Amino acid sequence: MKAILIICDGMADRPVKSLGDRTPLEAAKKPNMDRIADEGICGMMYTIGPGIPPGSDTAHLALLGYDPYQVYTGRGPFEAAGAGLELKPGDVAFRANYASVDDNLVVTDRRAGRIQSPPELEEAIRKIKLPVKFQFKNTLGHRTVLVLQGKGLSAAVGDTDPHEVGKKVLEAKALDNTAAARRTAQILNLFTKKVYQALRNHPLNQQRKKENLPPANMVLVRGAGVVPHLEPFEKRTGIKAACVAAAALVKGVCRLAGLEVAEVEGATGNTQTNLKGKIDATLKALERNDLVLLHIKAFDELSHDGKVKEKVEFIQTVDSYLGRLWGKADFLLLTADHTTPAEFKEHTGDPVPIALAGPGVRRDEVKSFGERSCARGGLGHIRGRELVPILANLMGRTKKFGA
Amino acid sequence: MKAILIICDGMADRPVKSLGDRTPLEAAKKPNMDRIADEGICGMMYTIGPGIPPGSDTAHLALLGYDPYQVYTGRGPFEAAGAGLELKPGDVAFRANYASVDDNLVVTDRRAGRIQSPPELEEAIRKIKLPVKFQFKNTLGHRTVLVLQGKGLSAAVGDTDPHEVGKKVLEAKALDNTAAARRTAQILNLFTKKVYQALRNHPLNQQRKKENLPPANMVLVRGAGVVPHLEPFEKRTGIKAACVAAAALVKGVCRLAGLEVAEVEGATGNTQTNLKGKIDATLKALERNDLVLLHIKAFDELSHDGKVKEKVEFIQTVDSYLGRLWGKADFLLLTADHTTPAEFKEHTGDPVPIALAGPGVRRDEVKSFGERSCARGGLGHIRGRELVPILANLMGRTKKFGA
């Protein structure tokens, strides 16, 4: 038995006045989503818990069955894993970005003029010598990730990023009294020094000076997180799974959980993403896997930007692609990772609708996929961590507890 | 205030094509069950948790309010208690069965030709001397239970049952590095040796040889479990309770929880069971108790055998007896311990319907007892462990927490 788990990032919403007090889902024409609701069993899901606004990382940990309160150590490790770095439990990962500093190490631009992933600078930084092994990688735009590797490291270190223009690059400080924290802070400060040495007169920055562009002569790090040990999803559940996603954080969670992560050309996470390519990748991944998690991101971006009308349109666009999934897996499960009300523009803790169609399902009377229709469904209100056990049970993949 | 808790083992199901996509409960004519739903409040129950297929033992632990993840140590102790053995916390219980072995202790028949509870062999084995007290009892057919008693014992021992014909009786091995485990393994190996000595030339086996029947010259043991300490149900809840059941496992759970366990002649656990006798026993037990758990087994057996039509019929048969309970207790609570879909033939983790009628209940609009009708009920989705507190509250037997 195979299943596709469709996660529409931030698609759930609240009633919007300009939509006649309907939510974007309730206002959209979305025959394929409604078909899953109609032929399946529906319900509502608190991804983390009632009233808790989930992040994309904690939400996906919960959706894969992990307890985010146990395993979540911050965004860094998941972003690093999402960027394709090979991580081991105990490594310490940081979010980082290129920045511009003056001769006194005062930050003049926190994004180095939004420089676009300069491979020369990435290479220069990788050549730095530190007392530990490390990985450094450009991700999107001015963003990068840094991972310190090996034993005797700690995530209890402060940022070097002052989070403000006009302030000096911070000296990283140990946040507890352990030798590991002090050592990690020292290594970070050495990193700051050596990055500046390596980039200050780098030919690319000389070129940028000529072009009157701010130099990318510093890397600011923040958000230390130790790479958690996640018991592999397949070992926990017996289900071989893959992930099709554009968002680095989601890819990172899936990669650390041991899922196969597909790379899809043109999958950007915005409304221009290659939806056809993602559907193709889903169907291809399904050949080798029991479960494919298909993550679609742009609902969330539109909600953060307050674009109600565009959100309705994007729901309709995505819906038109979902028809291709029908009949390709035994089970289709449609949900969101969290609510992002387009008028509130932030993640909220409202529950999200869920619909699950496939053999053996106790089909209920819900006929459309929405925040209010699904609240009358047969599944009742579940938690994110209960999603995989409920699906695995229907797939015949759970083991009896007891005799 | 008195209550009857009717637990129909494995009665819950999934939609079945041959029943017009109805479940057996939805297809059956069952006016008495529907009356409880109609006059009561309904809901769904995950006995253990969402998606977790319960065993009969873990399910009943949860239904009596215990956390099976805390107290469940394996099937052995509950089966032994169900067979009527007096157990103490710390005793180590094993499932066991008569088997046939050759001169080299190679198993030739794991069930000794399905020998039927031979009292002579039970007696012969009870006479064996071991360095600890022990109990041994025939249960059903070739099945028996063995309990080692006293201090310094461990359940961390392997089986002597090779689980395969053509293999030698296993030497029991300690599964951890404790003296108790090593000692228990030694005792088991001595048991194997002494059983063979006692049964090899037993007159019954000489007789079986003449009749060309496989000898019952060995007892294979498996599934060691230490007898858990269950805080008595009455002490936990203030409710004096009894159990009417045929299934040894259910009787065992109830006995270890301190419930009075009725013995009903002709209660077999199959469709031929003495339902009238069980109803009589329930009403009789209710005279001395506040709560009687009436367990009816054969739904599960029919489901394991894939007998959809017979399951519908048995629901109707049981229903016809339930009318006698009406008016005999303040509360009637009807549910199942787990779902066993007749087309899947195994316990599954789907929730079960529940209906509770009696004074003070917030009667809802559900009019029939079924897996989908009850999902619209006023109780919502509950867990097995919440059942007794909900009932005790209505019975006026709970204490205020706080001021």
Side-chain angles (χ1 to χ4, degrees):
Chain A
M1 295 253 225
K2 301 205 170 197
I4 301 171
L5 168 51
I6 308 155
I7 300 181
C8 297
D9 200 311
M11 180 167 70
D13 210 301
R14 293 175 177 169
V16 178
K17 202 156 211 175
S18 66
L19 298 176
D21 281 324
R22 293 172 302 171
T23 68
L25 263 176
E26 289 168 349
K29 282 198 174 45
K30 44 174 193 3
N32 289 302
M33 293 187 187
D34 288 345
R35 186 176 169 190
I36 301 175
D38 182 18
E39 301 199 6
I41 187 169
C42 298
M44 298 302 287
M45 176 172 69
Y46 288 111
T47 317
I48 309 280
I52 313 291
S56 281
D57 39 18
T58 51
H60 280 81
L61 283 168
L63 292 173
L64 291 178
Y66 300 94
D67 180 352
Y69 290 106
Q70 293 283 333
V71 301
Y72 186 64
T73 54
R75 177 176 181 155
F78 299 104
E79 203 153 84
L85 298 187
E86 282 293 325
L87 304 178
K88 284 187 186 144
D91 291 353
V92 177
F94 301 84
R95 304 178 63 201
N97 47 275
Y98 292 105
S100 311
V101 296
D102 67 15
D103 293 346
N104 297 315
L105 295 188
V106 169
V107 175
T108 56
D109 185 334
R110 279 188 69 241
R111 297 186 184 87
R114 289 196 178 272
I115 193 168
Q116 291 300 309
S117 296
E120 313 89 317
L121 302 191
E122 179 185 66
E123 206 194 323
I125 290 171
R126 284 179 178 172
K127 284 183 184 156
I128 287 172
K129 299 284 177 220
L130 292 178
V132 287
K133 278 213 245 184
F134 73 98
Q135 297 186 64
F136 180 83
K137 189 165 178 174
N138 294 343
T139 54
L140 208 62
H142 59 286
R143 300 178 192 90
T144 70
V145 288
L146 168 70
V147 178
L148 303 181
Q149 303 189 281
K151 291 185 177 169
L153 294 169
S154 167
V157 288
D159 301 345
T160 63
D161 187 347
H163 295 269
E164 230 176 290
V165 165
K167 293 209 168 161
K168 209 174 159 182
V169 178
L170 295 177
E171 197 173 325
K173 290 211 169 78
L175 300 181
D176 66 24
N177 204 14
T178 60
R182 285 195 298 273
R183 176 166 178 256
T184 309
Q186 278 169 5
I187 293 168
L188 274 191
N189 292 326
L190 188 63
F191 178 76
T192 295
K193 190 176 152 191
K194 294 210 168 177
V195 164
Y196 187 59
Q197 286 170 357
L199 301 191
R200 188 171 31 175
N201 297 315
H202 190 283
L204 183 75
N205 279 328
Q206 291 176 353
Q207 180 62 31
R208 286 176 74 81
K209 198 174 178 184
K210 279 185 205 158
E211 293 173 22
N212 230 355
L213 291 169
N217 55 2
M218 182 48 68
V219 172
L220 302 173
V221 309
R222 65 186 191 277
V226 68
V227 176
H229 171 70
L230 299 186
E231 187 187 16
F233 183 79
E234 188 175 351
K235 196 174 162 203
R236 276 173 84 97
T237 62
I239 295 172
K240 198 167 149 54
C243 159
V244 176
L249 261 185
V250 173
K251 287 161 83 173
V253 169
C254 290
R255 195 167 275 140
L256 283 180
L259 272 66
E260 175 189 318
V261 175
E263 294 297 335
V264 180
E265 198 153 337
T268 55
N270 60 31
T271 54
Q272 301 309 309
T273 193
N274 179 4
L275 284 169
K276 181 185 173 301
K278 289 180 82 168
I279 301 283
D280 290 342
T282 299
L283 295 177
K284 202 164 157 54
L286 204 61
E287 293 170 10
R288 294 182 301 277
N289 292 278
D290 308 317
L291 172 68
V292 179
L293 186 161
L294 167 60
H295 176 264
I296 301 170
K297 173 76 183 164
F299 309 97
D300 193 50
E301 190 180 277
L302 294 168
S303 305
H304 282 292
D305 292 346
K307 296 184 173 167
V308 171
K309 195 171 138 269
E310 291 82 350
K311 187 170 179 180
V312 173
E313 286 165 2
F314 190 64
I315 291 169
Q316 297 181 163
T317 301
V318 169
D319 187 83
S320 71
Y321 284 90
L322 295 185
R324 280 186 58 208
L325 299 180
W326 208 266
K328 296 300 196 309
D330 300 286
F331 295 94
L332 291 183
L333 200 166
L334 174 65
T335 190
D337 57 349
H338 51 73
T339 296
T340 312
E343 292 191 328
F344 188 69
K345 303 184 186 177
E346 290 294 344
H347 300 189
T348 64
D350 312 62
V352 297
I354 168 172
L356 167 56
V361 158
R362 291 168 178 166
R363 183 179 178 183
D364 59 28
E365 288 164 17
V366 177
K367 298 207 177 310
S368 68
F369 187 75
E371 295 85 351
R372 288 181 279 203
S373 53
C374 287
R376 297 190 295 271
L379 263 183
H381 281 64
I382 67 166
R383 305 296 171 96
R385 290 185 64 197
E386 297 167 349
L387 187 97
V388 163
I390 287 171
L391 180 60
N393 170 57
L394 286 162
M395 292 169 77
R397 302 299 281 270
T398 40
K399 278 189 194 134
K400 188 162 66 173
F401 171 47
Chain B
M1 294 255 226
K2 301 207 169 196
I4 301 172
L5 169 52
I6 308 156
I7 301 181
C8 297
D9 200 312
M11 180 166 70
D13 210 300
R14 293 174 178 170
V16 178
K17 202 156 211 174
S18 65
L19 298 175
D21 281 325
R22 293 173 302 172
T23 68
L25 263 176
E26 290 168 348
K29 281 196 176 45
K30 43 174 191 5
N32 289 302
M33 294 188 188
D34 289 344
R35 187 177 168 191
I36 301 175
D38 183 16
E39 300 198 7
I41 186 168
C42 298
M44 299 300 288
M45 177 173 68
Y46 288 111
T47 317
I48 309 281
I52 312 292
S56 282
D57 40 17
T58 52
H60 280 80
L61 284 168
L63 292 174
L64 291 177
Y66 301 94
D67 180 354
Y69 290 105
Q70 294 283 333
V71 301
Y72 187 65
T73 55
R75 176 179 183 152
F78 299 104
E79 202 152 85
L85 299 186
E86 281 294 326
L87 304 178
K88 283 187 187 146
D91 289 354
V92 177
F94 300 85
R95 305 177 64 200
N97 47 275
Y98 291 106
S100 312
V101 296
D102 66 16
D103 293 346
N104 298 315
L105 295 189
V106 170
V107 175
T108 55
D109 185 333
R110 279 190 69 241
R111 296 184 186 89
R114 289 196 178 272
I115 193 166
Q116 289 301 307
S117 296
E120 314 89 316
L121 302 191
E122 181 185 64
E123 206 194 320
I125 290 170
R126 284 178 178 172
K127 284 185 183 153
I128 287 172
K129 298 283 178 220
L130 291 179
V132 286
K133 279 214 251 182
F134 74 97
Q135 296 185 65
F136 179 82
K137 188 166 178 176
N138 293 343
T139 54
L140 207 62
H142 60 285
R143 299 178 191 89
T144 71
V145 288
L146 168 70
V147 178
L148 303 180
Q149 301 188 282
K151 291 188 177 170
L153 295 169
S154 166
V157 288
D159 301 343
T160 64
D161 186 345
H163 295 267
E164 226 176 292
V165 165
K167 294 210 167 157
K168 211 175 157 181
V169 179
L170 294 178
E171 197 173 326
K173 291 211 171 78
L175 299 180
D176 65 24
N177 206 15
T178 60
R182 285 195 299 273
R183 176 165 177 256
T184 311
Q186 278 168 6
I187 293 169
L188 274 191
N189 292 326
L190 189 63
F191 177 77
T192 294
K193 192 174 150 191
K194 294 210 170 177
V195 163
Y196 186 59
Q197 286 168 0
L199 302 191
R200 187 170 34 174
N201 298 314
H202 190 283
L204 182 76
N205 278 329
Q206 291 175 352
Q207 181 63 29
R208 287 176 72 82
K209 198 174 181 184
K210 278 183 204 156
E211 294 172 23
N212 231 356
L213 291 169
N217 55 3
M218 182 47 69
V219 171
L220 302 173
V221 309
R222 64 185 192 279
V226 69
V227 176
H229 171 70
L230 299 185
E231 188 188 16
F233 183 79
E234 188 175 350
K235 194 175 165 204
R236 277 172 83 98
T237 62
I239 295 173
K240 197 166 149 56
C243 157
V244 175
L249 261 184
V250 173
K251 287 161 83 171
V253 169
C254 289
R255 194 167 275 138
L256 283 179
L259 273 65
E260 175 190 318
V261 176
E263 293 297 335
V264 180
E265 200 154 334
T268 55
N270 60 33
T271 55
Q272 302 309 306
T273 193
N274 178 4
L275 284 170
K276 181 183 174 303
K278 288 179 82 167
I279 300 285
D280 290 341
T282 299
L283 296 176
K284 200 165 159 52
L286 203 61
E287 294 170 11
R288 293 182 302 277
N289 292 276
D290 308 317
L291 172 68
V292 179
L293 186 161
L294 167 60
H295 175 265
I296 301 170
K297 173 77 184 163
F299 310 96
D300 193 52
E301 188 181 280
L302 293 168
S303 304
H304 282 292
D305 291 347
K307 295 183 172 168
V308 171
K309 195 170 139 272
E310 290 83 350
K311 186 171 179 177
V312 174
E313 286 164 3
F314 190 65
I315 291 169
Q316 297 181 161
T317 301
V318 168
D319 186 83
S320 70
Y321 284 90
L322 295 185
R324 281 187 56 210
L325 300 181
W326 207 265
K328 297 298 197 310
D330 301 285
F331 295 95
L332 291 183
L333 200 167
L334 174 64
T335 189
D337 58 347
H338 51 73
T339 296
T340 313
E343 291 190 328
F344 188 69
K345 301 183 185 178
E346 291 292 346
H347 300 188
T348 65
D350 311 63
V352 297
I354 169 170
L356 167 56
V361 158
R362 293 170 179 163
R363 184 178 177 182
D364 59 26
E365 287 163 20
V366 177
K367 296 203 176 315
S368 67
F369 186 75
E371 295 84 351
R372 287 183 279 204
S373 53
C374 287
R376 296 190 294 272
L379 265 182
H381 281 65
I382 67 166
R383 303 298 169 97
R385 289 184 65 196
E386 298 167 347
L387 188 96
V388 163
I390 286 170
L391 179 60
N393 169 59
L394 286 161
M395 292 170 78
R397 303 299 282 269
T398 41
K399 278 187 196 136
K400 187 163 65 174
F401 171 48

